[in-house]
Amino acid sequence: FPRERIRNFCIIAHVDHGKTTLSDRLLQMTGTVAENKMKEQILDSMDLERERGITIKAHPVTMIYYFPEEKEHYQLNLIDTPGHVDFSYEVSRSLSACEGALLVIDATQGIQAQTVSNAFLAEKHRLVLIPVINKIDLPTANLTLVKKQLEDSLAIPADEAIATSAKEGIGIDQIFKAIIQKIPPPPSFPDQILRALIFDSVYDPYKGVILYVRMFSGKVKKGDKILLLSSNKTYEVKEVGVFCPKMVPEEALYEGNSGYIIANIKNTAEIKIGDTLTWETGGTTTALPGFQEISPMVFSGIYPLNSSEFEKLKNAIQKLQINDPAITISPESSVALGSGFRCGFLGLLHMEIVQQRLSREYGVDIITTYPSVIYKVSLRSGKTIEVDNPAKLPDPSYIDHIAEPYVKSYLIVPSENIGEVMQLISEKRGSCESTESLGHDKVIMHCYFPLNEILVDFNDKLKSITHGYGSMDYTPDEYRISDLVKLDILVNGEPIEALSCIVHSSKAESRGRSIIHKLKERIPRHLFKIALQAAVGGKILAREDIGAIGKNVTAKCYGGDITRKRKLLEKQKEGKKRMKTFGKVDIPQDAFLEILKTD
Ligand code: GDP
């Protein structure tokens, strides 16, 4: 295909607004897949993705479209984008492979938080945006309102919007026409040097690593020697091809194409997504824009529930990582939980998905610890260290100050809930910079939050306040210095490292109280009194005591039934096994679980 008749585009949308249905419809109308195959939605295939309405991996698909107006065939490459906030780095790299995007909005729901952040992201990548208002077949569709929202909040002229029903197949021809007429063809590089952007990869046990690439210039074919710019590693190409939507080998890939390259790459860890691929000799030395190192933002410990399953867990995590290099892992051990791993994730949803896959696909029962962000701790010595595990925080006397990551966030909420939402924002140490109205009954709130505060239950609370009508999205922002302290939990004066946490000083006392309360409920009485304390830098913020009891468990047996007595003693011994001893105090494992677990 000549460059002028190629278009590379993606579809961006809030979850459930119809991206998958529309993608399938485009594939079907171009004959890329037959209609009877439509039932299984093709683009996002993993069960978990379907269930949670998100797309984890971006799959590119090549379609050939006959444009009747010009009596010409066009090659349309649809680069799928993942649909959730945690994956905004993935959205971002998919966008770098495109010249345009369809922005799909549900006509019954209107603009949501992800619509706004996706539109901003697309603008940043200078993509041509084609607004698509979907589900117009539904009686509650409100075209006028959505058009007004488009103009008010995104400054997109309403008459550019295409009204569609992906389900009924309405307005699809107009979409093809707009893709061809509004989205520019791929740019040209006169030097014809090989430049390809690696925007994703998958691992195949037989073929090794499969690179998803967008060709910007030159051509690549079997036998070529290629170089990856950032790692400076070279490989020989074994196969090139396109997705239709299954992999179809081709002679070569040319400028403007999107497709795949298989070289002798053994491990996904060898490549960097967003990297530029060129010739080994005579190639380019300048990287294509779009490279963004991915780094995890949320950390948590993952331990086998049963310590004999450690090897099984290790295998499972390593397998997961091959296909999802965004997960980082390092060994960790904890007095309370045994051997496990410290894992880094892109966000909370990413973490949940990995946890679910571990138990569902690999059958390992796991315990995950309370999530943490990366704190930047400036020491009095002038050094700055990064801490993702509160147990690793140095003694307060060495610390000058601590900075924590903030996120920039958009909330879209019904106007009537603003008061309660404002209260939630301040509870979470956030600030609302501005609000603007979105149609007559909704507002967009532009906010900043410490990432740590929105990790666990923010979204649930927002949904509950707004009866499900509120939505939020966020992007990472700068680090800010905060009044953060290490909260220690002491049992009879001895700090229990596994229970330490980093909290804002204003929340230290309440958090401390809640932890020692849970401990008190779960630590059995001992022969002596046990003091439970929550402290910050030696200052006690909260205290509870567990009173002493007599030891003789057989005392309540009347008479001399010796078998009964023995049974009781054995039971007590067994109970002891699941205890961890600190000083002279036995703490049951489930006490740790109750405090450390996520929910
Ligand atoms: P995604 O999360 O953006 O990929 O959304 P899906 O394509 O999975 O669609 C979400 C739901 O909306 C599914 O139940 C679809 O059947 C439904 N849906 C998608 N497009 C339309 C449409 O044009 N009309 C109607 N009535 N329902 C639609």
Side-chain angles (χ1 to χ4, degrees), residues 13-22 41 53 134-138 164-168:
H14 192 83
V15 162
D16 277 348
H17 283 200
K19 188 177 81 171
T20 314
T21 313
L22 180 60
Q41 293 186 327
N134 190 36
K135 306 198 190 180
I136 52 157
D137 58 295
L138 291 174
T164 66
S165 164
K167 196 170 169 193
E168 308 286 330

Side-chain angles (χ1 to χ4, degrees), residues 57 200-212 239 243 246-247 260-269 271 319-324:
K57 281 275 167 195
D200 209 343
S201 74
V202 288
Y203 178 77
D204 180 288
Y206 302 106
K207 302 186 167 184
V209 175
I210 299 168
L211 302 175
Y212 293 2
E239 184 183 319
F243 294 89
K246 294 252 177 322
M247 284 165 68
Y260 68 88
I261 296 178
I262 300 173
N264 51 333
I265 306 174
K266 301 275 173 338
N267 193 323
T268 38
I271 55 149
K319 277 204 194 119
L320 270 185
Q321 201 193 20
I322 288 177
N323 245 323
D324 186 356

